[in-house]
Amino acid sequence: MPLSFATERTPVSQSKPDPLVIFTPSGKRGHFPAGTPVLTAARKLGVDLDSVCGGRGKCSKCQVAPSYGEFSKHGVTVAKDALSPFNEVEARYDRIRGLISGRRLGCQATIQTDVVIDVPPESQVHKQVVRKRAEARDITLAPSIRRVLVEVEQPDMHEPTGDFERLQNALAQQWDIKGVTTTLPILSRLQKCLRKGEWSVTCTIHNAGISLPPRLIDIAQGFDETAFYGLAVDLGSTTIAGHLCNLETGEVVASAGLMNPQIRFGEDLMSRVSYGMMNEGGSGEMTAAVREGMAQLCRDVAKDAGIAPERIIDATIVCNPVMHHLFLGIDAYELGQAPFALATSDALNLSAHEVGLPLHENAALYMLPCIAGHVGADAAAVALSEAPEKSDDLVLIVDVGTNAEIILGNKNRVLACSSPTGPAFEGAQISAGQRAAPGAIERVEIDPITKEPRFKIIGSDLWSNEAGFEEAALATGVTGICGSGIIECVAEMRMAGIVDGPGLIGSAEQVGTDRCFADGRTNSYLLYDATHLGGDKITVTNRDIREIQMAKAALYSGARLLMDKFEVDTVDRIVLCGAFGAHISPKHAMILGMIPDCALDKVTSAGNAAGTGARIALLNTDARREIETTVRAIHKIETAIEPRFQEHFVNASNIPNAADSFPHLGAIVTLPNVNHNAGDGSDGGKRRRRRRG
């Protein structure tokens, strides 16, 4: 039959699609008719957006932050009129109680065109559990901050020197602290302080290192024992975690964490670099967002410790290169293209107020050095914490996150690379995925015979098949599955034969359970039906499997490249770290093929090693000199230009791997040899294409 074509006189009518709404940090998206309230769209997509007033604009729990500009990752450009203008309800709320700049009430703002909407942490029902605790570690105390009591000579008509010069002499003679400098605010307080203290003062000296003179940053009359504190921060792509330490005892007195506000500009680093490239002023927007997040962290951790933020007098920060640049107010454009040049890779000694941190007026800030273009100060902090350059055996250190840092080395040499794993390990881009919060599934086991699952949720110690679980779960509900949960679930599905090596979920007939069901052109697995608790059905789809395969393949390929450079096929031990890495089951990670084969008792967790490295640098200035020397000896491998990366990636997309053997794993786990690719057997198990007629 001949094909017919529409002419100019008979145009084909094509309806314009409804606006696309993308919520961050969940990654959930959908099309909704123009005029749909943001809160309604969020509820229909299962987005975690709070509201207690029934959408009347009174509670302010549903505040959201729309983002504008071009988002290449999502394929959308968000116009300034993507949401409806402020209505009277919002205007009245803003007049009476005040809305944070850039925020809207989700119950009042309506969708007009394509839009990207961030749900800030305080608007989420299930608050994120930022699981970057301070690890127990013996640290030799030698902070950059020192407090000394000084007796200063009184002025003499015959020796007409200034008060500060006589204080300098006293510091040199009594404490061997020479060449001290200070600031104008300190000079303005000096004379009154000396006289009220009867020429006895307590000086707080900051000594950044041998290349910089010591600096007087605080002065108090007489003998002052008021404690001062330091803050060690791990500034991650997804989460920010800080540990407040007493600088005299080294004790961690408080820890706090929050989501990185930059998430709304892109969940992965390259999306943020792209946002800065595509949108005029985009880099500045991201700098303002992350600095506000850091300021909030400072206030939160001080509040938890019951102190004023002004008592925090020193800080260290570790972060990846993109976060490093954006936090400092440096456009990350060059990090988006080869040769990935950093504006600076050296350690930085700054004033905390230069970057907007609400700490002591003269608080010091030390930023650890970056290793190379995509291996940052966070990897340097991991190296400081785990010291691979001092190891007799070959150790692989993997800091698992949205952007994974990988280090392989021993006392002979150390290599490093980064691998863009994306947000899947954080629960994003997974159909029922969520961040780690109460109610999220974090542990999974599947019976290999019956294919029946059981699981644990954050906030309860009971397994789902144990008595009392549903009563315990009523407090939070079973709300979704977080990163560690999806890792265990996919690995358990592979062990039970529900998923085959290439990553296909079998049908109910192939697997032998009605938990597997047809879902479009592929199959999905029902993990839990929470509808009787007021929740949703929690399923694992084949797209979820693909997301995990891509993330774990990127991670494994980076590790394998470093092993190639060492000309080895095995490592002696593996250390997993990071907020997510600390909660991974080593066995499930190896079944999935996230990490190379290794004896399971040689796979350990170092917790938040980057945060530990930041704390070591805060409390010991010798460690700062050590890591500045160490990073110069670490050789960086750039995965983007390595010819074998793609080969390793393709092989690592299989579960656990299409080419590399896992003998240690095989000794304790037998993976079913199944193939769920639909076929009649005559074509080798491959799908037959239907011929178009």
Side-chain angles (χ1 to χ4, degrees):
M1 183 176 178
L3 296 174
S4 60
F5 296 89
T7 67
E8 287 186 20
R9 288 175 292 179
T10 57
V12 177
S13 176
Q14 293 184 341
S15 60
K16 186 178 180 181
D18 289 330
L20 173 65
V21 184
I22 302 167
F23 286 96
T24 63
S26 66
K28 294 182 178 179
R29 61 174 62 201
H31 289 274
F32 293 90
T36 302
V38 170
L39 181 60
T40 300
R43 286 175 170 171
K44 288 186 177 180
L45 290 173
V47 172
D48 194 18
L49 179 59
D50 204 354
S51 177
V52 297
C53 70
R56 295 193 293 273
K58 294 182 177 180
C59 71
S60 80
K61 299 287 187 182
C62 64
Q63 290 187 35
V64 296
S67 297
Y68 305 105
E70 187 171 344
F71 295 83
S72 58
K73 176 182 177 181
H74 301 306
V76 298
T77 298
V78 181
K80 290 292 183 180
D81 59 355
L83 295 183
S84 58
F86 254 48
N87 64 15
E88 180 53 36
V89 174
E90 288 179 292
R92 181 176 180 275
Y93 183 90
D94 192 29
R95 284 195 308 270
I96 297 172
R97 299 178 64 182
L99 270 174
I100 295 173
S101 178
R103 294 278 182 90
R104 300 293 303 273
L105 296 182
C107 63
Q108 301 299 314
T110 61
I111 298 157
Q112 303 300 313
T113 60
D114 294 349
V115 65
V116 176
I117 298 175
D118 182 60
V119 181
E122 60 269 27
S123 297
Q124 298 172 20
V125 180
H126 305 97
K127 302 298 187 287
Q128 165 85 13
V129 179
V130 181
R131 304 197 286 190
K132 292 190 176 182
R133 63 183 179 87
E135 305 301 323
R137 179 67 67 91
D138 292 330
I139 302 172
T140 301
L141 275 178
S144 64
I145 303 296
R146 184 181 181 188
R147 303 182 77 196
V148 294
L149 180 66
V150 183
E151 301 292 336
V152 181
E153 287 187 9
Q154 296 185 35
D156 188 332
M157 290 285 290
H158 303 290
E159 295 289 341
T161 56
D163 286 350
F164 180 65
E165 285 70 30
R166 280 181 282 104
L167 175 60
Q168 284 180 309
N169 291 335
L171 285 166
Q173 292 169 8
Q174 297 168 32
W175 295 101
D176 198 30
I177 301 174
K178 300 175 181 177
V180 170
T181 63
T182 193
T183 63
L184 187 58
I186 295 294
L187 282 177
S188 68
R189 289 164 33 204
L190 176 62
Q191 292 192 305
K192 185 179 290 186
C193 195
L194 281 169
R195 285 153 181 82
K196 282 192 173 183
E198 298 180 348
W199 305 98
S200 176
V201 289
T202 300
C203 295
T204 303
I205 308 293
H206 173 251
N207 196 340
I210 56 175
S211 61
L212 296 171
R215 193 164 56 101
L216 176 65
I217 59 175
D218 196 75
I219 190 167
Q221 62 192 51
F223 180 55
D224 182 29
E225 291 185 289
T226 305
F228 275 127
Y229 299 87
L231 182 62
V233 180
D234 177 10
L235 172 53
S237 310
T238 302
T239 57
I240 309 174
H243 306 299
L244 186 68
C245 302
N246 184 310
L247 290 176
E248 293 183 2
T249 66
E251 175 191 5
V252 178
V253 297
S255 296
L258 47 78
M259 301 298 293
N260 187 333
Q262 273 191 1
I263 288 175
R264 68 177 183 266
F265 300 104
E267 290 168 327
D268 59 271
L269 294 174
M270 285 302 100
S271 293
R272 296 181 205 178
V273 173
S274 175
Y275 183 86
M277 290 178 176
M278 302 285 189
N279 299 277
E280 185 176 354
S283 181
E285 288 181 68
M286 291 186 284
T287 294
V290 71
R291 286 186 179 179
E292 176 51 40
M294 288 287 288
Q296 187 60 50
L297 177 79
C298 295
R299 292 187 286 265
D300 289 348
V301 76
K303 182 179 179 181
D304 288 350
I307 67 165
E310 291 75 22
R311 302 307 299 171
I312 304 174
I313 205 163
D314 197 11
T316 54
I317 296 177
V318 302
C319 48
N320 61 60
V322 173
M323 291 311 309
H324 175 276
H325 278 41
L326 292 176
F327 175 67
L328 292 174
I330 302 169
D331 195 324
Y333 176 85
E334 293 297 337
L335 296 176
Q337 57 188 356
F340 314 109
L342 290 156
T344 179
S345 58
D346 284 349
L348 298 174
N349 288 282
L350 307 170
S351 162
H353 280 264
E354 287 183 76
V355 290
L357 299 185
L359 308 179
H360 185 280
E361 62 179 351
N362 292 315
L365 171 62
Y366 177 77
M367 297 194 68
L368 275 72
C370 293
I371 296 174
H374 282 299
V375 184
D378 47 0
V382 170
L384 179 59
S385 172
E386 300 307 306
E389 77 283 0
K390 299 175 184 177
S391 176
D392 290 325
D393 50 12
L394 187 61
V395 57
L396 177 69
I397 305 168
V398 183
D399 190 349
V400 187
T402 306
N403 190 66
E405 281 78 32
I406 307 166
I407 298 173
L408 179 67
N410 54 25
K411 61 185 180 183
N412 296 322
R413 65 172 174 156
V414 179
L415 307 179
C417 73
S418 67
S419 197
T421 52
F425 288 153
E426 303 278 357
Q429 311 301 339
I430 303 299
S431 60
Q434 67 167 86
R435 311 275 178 198
I441 295 172
E442 64 170 344
R443 297 285 314 282
V444 178
E445 291 181 355
I446 298 176
D447 188 297
I449 305 300
T450 66
K451 319 301 181 187
E452 286 297 301
R454 69 172 191 160
F455 56 83
K456 284 185 176 182
I457 60 173
I458 297 174
S460 174
D461 292 328
L462 296 173
W463 285 96
S464 58
N465 62 346
E466 292 179 336
F469 171 80
E470 293 207 343
E471 290 78 2
L474 285 173
T476 60
V478 181
T479 54
I481 185 165
C482 68
S484 59
I486 193 67
I487 291 299
E488 291 198 8
C489 187
V490 175
E492 289 281 329
M493 291 170 71
R494 179 69 182 93
M495 284 195 291
I498 298 168
V499 168
D500 62 13
L504 284 175
I505 299 175
S507 65
E509 293 76 16
Q510 289 172 316
V511 177
T513 176
D514 58 6
R515 284 188 175 274
C516 292
F517 61 94
D519 189 2
R521 298 185 63 179
T522 57
N523 298 297
S524 294
Y525 176 78
L526 177 64
L527 183 59
Y528 185 67
D529 187 347
T531 52
H532 65 291
L533 293 176
D536 300 315
K537 290 182 177 180
I538 297 173
T539 61
V540 179
T541 69
N542 235 123
R543 180 177 175 180
D544 297 338
I545 303 291
R546 288 283 181 260
E547 293 286 348
I548 294 299
Q549 284 177 288
M550 296 302 99
K552 72 96 175 180
L555 183 63
Y556 183 92
S557 301
R560 197 67 184 82
L561 274 180
L562 299 188
M563 293 165 66
D564 288 348
K565 299 299 181 182
F566 259 89
E567 298 182 346
V568 298
D569 292 319
T570 60
V571 297
D572 297 319
R573 58 188 178 95
I574 299 173
V575 178
L576 300 174
C577 47
F580 174 61
H583 293 85
I584 297 174
S585 155
K587 183 180 80 170
H588 290 95
M590 201 171 292
I591 291 167
L592 201 60
M594 285 177 64
I595 55 177
D597 185 68
C598 186
L600 281 182
D601 62 354
K602 295 294 185 180
V603 183
T604 59
S605 170
N608 181 19
T612 300
R615 200 154 46 92
I616 293 171
L618 175 70
L619 298 173
N620 190 304
T621 50
D622 293 335
R624 299 183 185 186
R625 308 291 85 78
E626 178 184 334
I627 194 58
E628 288 167 14
T629 301
T630 298
V631 296
R632 296 188 186 101
I634 295 176
H635 182 65
K636 164 69 164 58
I637 304 300
E638 182 53 65
T639 58
I641 60 174
E642 284 292 329
R644 293 203 68 191
F645 182 83
Q646 189 62 29
E647 175 192 341
H648 288 314
F649 186 90
V650 171
N651 291 332
S653 298
N654 202 280
I655 306 175
N657 197 287
D660 294 347
S661 61
F662 284 72
H664 288 99
L665 179 64
I668 58 172
V669 174
T670 301
L671 298 178
N673 185 19
V674 294
N675 185 348
H676 298 316
N677 194 8
D680 61 8
S682 62
D683 59 353
K686 297 180 180 178
R687 288 185 187 271
R688 288 190 171 188
R689 290 179 183 239
R690 291 172 57 188
R691 296 182 63 184
R692 294 175 183 258

